[in-house]
């Protein structure tokens, strides 16, 4: 499994990736949708190896800003002000975060947005931003998972505090307990992966994010994928679904 240097994405501003994007025969521009625990992070890593597209997670940006606040940028600083007050980050601020990193949208290796858009207004704003940049999405992959499986996945998930690689204590354990295979960083359970937080997250997802499905279905972009089974099986299902989508 390969990884991509996301310095420009994580730091924003004038930051530049040290790693040269790969030459790919087909540039993919994707959005990844799915409930918390649907496996978007794992599949993003696998799709990076398969397609060359760079995984762009807004959650990773917020975590990087937490660890390196001096590199946060204006949009992140504004977002942290709202979060410190316990308020939701406004759509306009989240969109500013993307705008500060719009060079990543033009990456010759392609991109996969994860965590944005989360709401219908954000989806419409992304449509407008891509149109202004003379870009278009190729597909919106929706990873479908049953609520029971989501619960099992979330409570067992562990994330590297350094490179954000995702592991699972049962389904995808690290070679050394608590240590990331990729960079040697410490693995931890996110606070929002604890059982008491999961019900709240899933309820919020259903109410806020599910309308995105109809938005992208109406544009002919939605590609549903059954996200059950081993990661390699889900990846194969996803690649097959993309081929069928392109053939339409």
């Amino acid at each position: 499994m390969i990884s991509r240097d996301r310095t420009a994405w994580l730091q924003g501003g004038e930051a530049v990736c040290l790693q040269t994007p790969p030459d790919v025969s087909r540039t993919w521009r994707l959005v990844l949708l799915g409930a918390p625990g649907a496996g978007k992070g794992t599949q993003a890593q696998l799709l990076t190896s398969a397609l060359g597209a760079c995984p762009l997670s807004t959650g990773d940006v917020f975590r990087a800003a937490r660890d390196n606040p001096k590199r946060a940028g204006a949009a992140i600083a504004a977002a942290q002000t709202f979060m410190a007050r316990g308020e939701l980050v406004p759509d306009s601020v989240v969109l500013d975060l993307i705008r500060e990193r719009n060079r990543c949208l033009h990456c010759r290796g392609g991109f996969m947005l994860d965590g944005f858009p989360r709401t219908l207004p954000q989806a419409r704003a992304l449509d407008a931003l891509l149109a202004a940049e003379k870009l278009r999405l190729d597909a919106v992959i929706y990873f479908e998972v049953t609520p029971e499986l989501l619960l099992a996945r979330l409570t067992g998930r562990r994330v590297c505090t350094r490179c954000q690689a995702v592991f699972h204590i049962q389904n995808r354990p690290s070679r050394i307990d608590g240590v990331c295979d990729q960079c040697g960083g410490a693995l931890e359970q996110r606070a929002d992966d604890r059982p008491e937080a999961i019900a709240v997250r899933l309820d919020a997802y259903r109410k806020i994010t599910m309308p995105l499905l109809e938005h992208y279905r109406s544009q002919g972009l939605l590609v549903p994928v059954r996200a059950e089974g081993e990661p390699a099986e889900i990846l194969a299902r996803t690649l097959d679904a993309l081929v069928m989508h392109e053939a339409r």
Side-chain angles (χ1 to χ4, degrees):
M1 187 184 298
I2 67 170
S3 60
R4 291 284 299 276
D5 174 14
R6 297 175 300 158
T7 302
W9 176 252
L10 296 177
Q11 296 183 13
E14 299 301 317
V16 177
C17 291
L18 302 178
Q19 180 188 70
T20 302
D23 287 320
V24 292
S25 58
R26 168 72 164 85
T27 299
W28 288 93
R29 298 184 176 97
L30 307 170
V31 166
L32 306 184
L33 294 180
K40 297 188 299 297
T42 297
Q43 288 305 308
Q45 293 179 55
L46 294 171
L47 287 166
T48 295
S49 295
L51 303 177
C54 189
L56 305 181
S57 166
T58 52
D60 288 349
V61 173
F62 284 113
R63 284 182 284 275
R66 177 196 63 193
D67 297 335
N68 297 284
K70 292 182 179 180
R71 299 179 177 179
I76 288 293
Q80 288 176 326
T81 300
F82 286 98
M83 290 187 292
R85 296 199 297 256
E87 301 174 10
L88 292 175
V89 179
D91 289 343
S92 59
V93 175
V94 181
L95 187 63
D96 284 343
L97 182 149
I98 305 295
R99 286 198 183 102
E100 286 182 355
R101 293 156 173 79
N102 70 341
R103 287 182 297 172
C104 294
L105 302 180
H106 292 271
C107 179
R108 70 183 185 187
F111 66 78
M112 295 175 290
L113 283 171
D114 175 7
F116 179 87
R118 287 185 182 273
T119 67
L120 192 55
Q122 286 182 7
R124 290 169 175 158
L126 177 62
D127 290 346
L129 174 60
L130 291 175
E133 298 289 331
K134 296 181 171 54
L135 299 171
R136 67 175 183 83
L137 290 176
D138 295 296
V140 175
I141 302 172
Y142 172 49
F143 294 108
E144 300 176 304
V145 188
T146 64
E148 295 78 15
L149 184 55
L150 286 174
L151 180 62
R153 284 183 176 175
L154 286 170
T155 54
R157 184 165 63 179
R158 300 294 182 270
V159 181
C160 178
T161 56
R162 185 183 300 170
C163 73
Q164 307 303 319
V166 180
F167 297 85
H168 193 280
I169 58 176
Q170 293 179 334
N171 301 333
R172 190 170 175 255
S174 57
R175 290 190 295 269
I176 301 174
D177 186 37
V179 179
C180 177
D181 291 347
Q182 295 190 28
C183 72
L187 301 181
E188 68 175 16
Q189 184 182 44
R190 292 177 182 170
D192 56 2
D193 282 345
R194 301 185 189 280
E196 59 273 20
I198 292 174
V200 175
R201 293 176 65 194
L202 294 180
D203 185 59
Y205 177 80
R206 283 190 292 270
K207 291 178 179 178
I208 297 173
T209 311
M210 290 297 283
L212 295 181
L213 301 183
E214 185 54 39
H215 175 76
Y216 287 121
R217 185 180 289 113
S218 68
Q219 296 182 18
L221 290 172
L222 193 67
V223 178
V225 174
R226 182 170 58 87
E228 300 179 10
E230 295 297 319
E233 296 173 347
I234 300 168
L235 173 66
R237 222 174 279 143
T238 302
L239 296 176
D240 287 345
L242 286 175
V243 170
M244 293 178 62
H245 176 72
E246 279 226 298
R248 293 175 187 170

